[in-house]
Amino acid sequence: MDDNPPRKSSLGSRLATALKPKQSGRRLMKKSTVNLREAAVSKDSSLKDFPSTSSIRTNAQPQYESFPTVDTQTGERQDYTALIHGLGHQGSFDSLKSVSRLDPQRLDTDTRAGDRRVASLSDVLWLRVCSHLPPSCVASLAFASKTLRYRLGPEAWIALNHPENEQFKSEFLVSLDSQLPDHLFCFRCITYHRRVQKGQERLRATATMNPLFICPWASEPTQIPLRMRLTPGHTLPFTFVQLVMRAHRYGPDYGIPPESLSRRWKCRESEWSHQSRYYIDKGHLLLRIVSKSFAEPALPPSGLRHLLYSREDYFPYFSACAHWRDGELMNNCKCALGHIPKPKETIAQQLRTGPQINNAMRHVNAIVSLCGKCRPMRRCPDCPTEYLIEVRFEEDKNDPVNKFKQSIVVTRWSDLGDGTTPLAGEWFACNRETDYDSFATIGRRGISGTFEAQSGVAIPGQRMLSLNPENVKMGEKGHNWY
Ligand SMILES: [Zn+2]
Ligand SMILES: [Zn+2]
Ligand SMILES: [Zn+2]
């Protein structure tokens, strides 16, 4: 190669010409076929020592367009038109479907270069390689090319159908996601269903029927965490995380943008209102929910409970991860509510209740500062979720008399993972008890910091404490949560 540089540049420029966008398909076929053939012939002598070019040399012999030759070594059809079409389409989302790797012609051209090397290794060696791989990877290997399929046989795919290999079957099928924009993987059935609202998928309240595909098992109970509780009456189905992350990875045809998940809603049975936003960072979907409610000062314990817990299931009204009962989350909310001062009272107002006048009551500071216990940002040690509790002075548009009131604001940030499986990773950790260690995994920069940085908001530097510093896990049996 080195002894013949002018020819090398000539091949490069000819290939570049062949790959340029063409004015018509007819011209593309004619020109590219000629170019490649010429290039192959001209390179023939200089590339003798390079094993993968042997197929090009075979093809350089004169042949007819309508009869693609068959490689004597691998038994594959060799078609220049398909080769050039395949190369020319790379990198464009619009044409992904047409050059999908499920297309056998594309499969041929993509794998031809490596096929000879694959074929040169013995069956014993390939079986040895497979013995070190999980079943899902063996199935993917057998799916990679015809040569590998013949070498490895269909056993890997048959093995995936055994009930104990369900997880590997899911892994293998999810790896085909990039080929199936019109379908969505169902973790109940371990199969792909056709999207019935393609591109129109919208997040709705849990009570609303909103199937994204027709699944025969949709109404059956399942142990798989397919929904994440956000607030009373509102959940996030895992299918929406799938859709958003697929669109992010493969293009808009595969799902929906993260912005389309953002919502504002008001709780029906309480004063709480919520606002959700989503953002993708480093291949993970991040969630932020800001929940707030007006709060009276000096509430007794029963009043605090009435404000914080849903009457329906005694979960918090605001958004929380599955580990909210352990640790300090609820205590800190009650602590923050305890810092709300009594409203300002003029002398006339004070005299109505008695003769004493308290001068401090005339000048109450509307800005409430919280204490060292309830002010710091907290991170759940068992999942990638962070919390911030604030007391803010906010306008109540529905109250003509007392327009400005104190309110409690609980913000939750969570990492929902990469959307490939609800049975592992961040999504699973947020919903279940796992051995996930958030302080070891997330590191110094918090999810909250990453999320707010995208809109240019810098969260004031403060300590990130553990939500459960004692690390006592009692769940519902604990004494702290109510
Ligand atoms: Zn299904
Ligand atoms: Zn406090
Ligand atoms: Zn948690």
Side-chain angles (χ1 to χ4, degrees):
M1 265 175 131
D2 292 336
D3 57 8
N4 212 352
R7 282 195 177 180
K8 189 180 177 186
S9 67
S10 147
L11 170 68
S13 63
R14 282 165 194 226
L15 271 174
T17 320
L19 297 179
K20 259 200 296 192
K22 296 300 179 301
Q23 283 160 3
S24 76
R26 232 175 115 199
R27 242 178 98 197
L28 170 77
M29 282 170 70
K30 202 176 165 191
K31 204 172 171 187
S32 59
T33 311
V34 170
N35 267 345
L36 197 85
R37 196 170 293 165
E38 282 174 15
V41 170
S42 72
K43 290 297 282 180
D44 190 26
S45 54
S46 57
L47 292 174
K48 265 177 203 147
D49 299 325
F50 201 61
S52 63
T53 55
S54 53
S55 61
I56 296 181
R57 269 192 279 140
T58 319
N59 295 325
Q61 288 151 14
Q63 56 186 257
Y64 294 101
E65 284 297 322
S66 47
F67 298 103
T69 52
V70 173
D71 190 307
T72 50
Q73 300 286 315
T74 60
E76 286 174 7
R77 286 192 314 116
Q78 292 168 337
D79 183 347
Y80 283 126
T81 316
L83 171 69
I84 296 300
H85 274 285
L87 289 169
H89 275 76
Q90 268 180 4
S92 155
F93 284 132
D94 304 333
S95 55
L96 258 181
K97 245 195 299 187
S98 64
V99 295
S100 158
R101 268 193 245 158
L102 288 183
D103 173 4
Q105 282 197 337
R106 174 74 192 269
L107 245 172
D108 284 357
T109 53
D110 269 6
T111 56
R112 189 177 303 155
D115 264 349
R116 280 171 192 286
R117 291 174 191 192
V118 168
S120 71
L121 302 179
S122 72
D123 285 0
V124 179
L125 195 65
W126 277 117
L127 287 175
R128 187 74 181 269
V129 169
C130 290
S131 71
H132 293 282
L133 296 173
S136 50
C137 292
V138 180
S140 292
L141 196 61
F143 198 64
S145 76
K146 282 181 185 169
T147 315
L148 278 165
R149 155 71 186 82
Y150 293 132
R151 282 284 158 127
L152 304 177
E155 284 77 15
W157 299 339
I158 295 166
L160 289 186
N161 260 342
H162 293 303
E164 69 269 20
N165 283 341
E166 261 186 13
Q167 183 205 336
F168 298 115
K169 187 177 176 183
S170 292
E171 282 172 19
F172 170 65
L173 289 175
V174 167
S175 72
L176 305 180
D177 232 10
S178 65
Q179 320 296 334
L180 298 160
D182 298 337
H183 296 73
L184 203 56
F185 188 70
C186 172
F187 285 87
R188 287 169 186 265
C189 310
I190 317 186
T191 189
Y192 279 91
H193 296 309
R194 181 167 271 279
R195 289 162 69 187
V196 293
Q197 311 179 36
K198 193 184 168 193
Q200 305 302 313
E201 288 103 345
R202 294 288 171 269
L203 196 55
R204 299 189 200 285
T206 309
T208 314
M209 278 283 283
N210 185 26
L212 303 191
F213 46 62
I214 308 301
C215 172
W217 299 96
S219 53
E220 301 292 321
T222 173
Q223 288 298 307
I224 308 167
L226 290 176
R227 286 174 175 274
M228 176 184 281
R229 180 195 163 99
L230 298 181
T231 61
H234 284 258
T235 53
L236 175 67
F238 184 73
T239 42
F240 280 87
V241 184
Q242 278 176 284
L243 283 175
V244 167
M245 294 316 294
R246 274 162 43 112
H248 173 70
R249 267 188 215 112
Y250 310 122
D253 208 25
Y254 287 75
I256 52 175
E259 303 79 51
S260 69
L261 297 182
S262 302
R263 288 283 176 283
R264 278 170 186 270
W265 68 98
K266 229 190 126 355
C267 184
R268 278 198 201 147
E269 46 176 297
S270 71
E271 289 243 319
W272 286 85
S273 60
H274 313 275
Q275 189 179 357
S276 66
R277 273 196 65 192
Y278 296 81
Y279 170 63
I280 296 173
D281 179 69
K282 296 194 183 91
H284 282 219
L285 185 64
L286 307 186
L287 154 75
R288 181 188 70 191
I289 297 196
V290 183
S291 305
K292 60 184 170 190
S293 170
F294 293 111
E296 297 288 320
L299 282 171
S302 62
L304 292 174
R305 286 173 180 166
H306 190 79
L307 175 67
L308 293 173
Y309 299 91
S310 159
R311 299 296 97 193
E312 218 169 81
D313 51 8
Y314 294 94
F315 272 57
Y317 276 123
F318 56 84
S319 192
C321 68
H323 321 102
W324 63 270
R325 287 191 184 90
D326 294 320
E328 299 299 320
L329 182 63
M330 301 316 289
N331 285 339
N332 285 358
C333 287
K334 290 171 190 170
C335 183
L337 287 166
H339 297 295
I340 295 179
K342 290 195 169 161
K344 197 153 70 169
E345 279 187 22
T346 59
I347 292 178
Q349 281 170 329
Q350 289 189 34
L351 285 174
R352 264 183 238 155
T353 50
Q356 295 95 345
I357 294 170
N358 183 348
N359 220 18
M361 293 293 289
R362 293 172 61 201
H363 309 284
V364 177
N365 191 353
I367 297 168
V368 178
S369 48
L370 303 180
C371 69
K373 181 174 179 287
C374 63
R375 186 180 59 233
M377 186 91 78
R378 298 272 179 170
R379 180 183 292 164
C380 176
D382 301 316
C383 79
T385 299
E386 289 163 10
Y387 298 93
L388 183 67
I389 303 165
E390 295 162 283
V391 169
R392 289 191 205 152
F393 201 50
E394 301 229 341
E395 184 181 1
D396 185 353
K397 288 183 178 123
N398 299 323
D399 190 339
V401 184
N402 272 330
K403 255 190 152 356
F404 289 92
K405 296 173 181 173
Q406 298 289 357
S407 63
I408 180 168
V409 183
V410 183
T411 308
R412 167 201 183 176
W413 293 266
S414 281
D415 181 341
L416 305 182
D418 62 6
T420 54
T421 173
L423 289 162
E426 287 76 8
W427 174 274
F428 196 61
C430 285
N431 286 290
R432 293 288 154 88
E433 286 300 334
T434 62
D435 52 6
Y436 187 92
D437 180 348
S438 65
F439 280 89
T441 314
I442 298 171
R444 283 176 65 84
R445 190 167 195 213
I447 303 162
S448 46
T450 307
F451 195 101
E452 299 310 322
Q454 42 128 355
S455 49
V457 178
I459 290 189
Q462 53 174 315
R463 291 177 301 158
M464 177 76 73
L465 299 185
S466 171
L467 189 68
N468 186 2
E470 311 285 316
N471 233 355
V472 179
K473 293 177 191 170
M474 301 275 285
E476 209 168 340
K477 294 182 195 79
H479 306 291
N480 251 352
W481 66 272
Y482 193 65

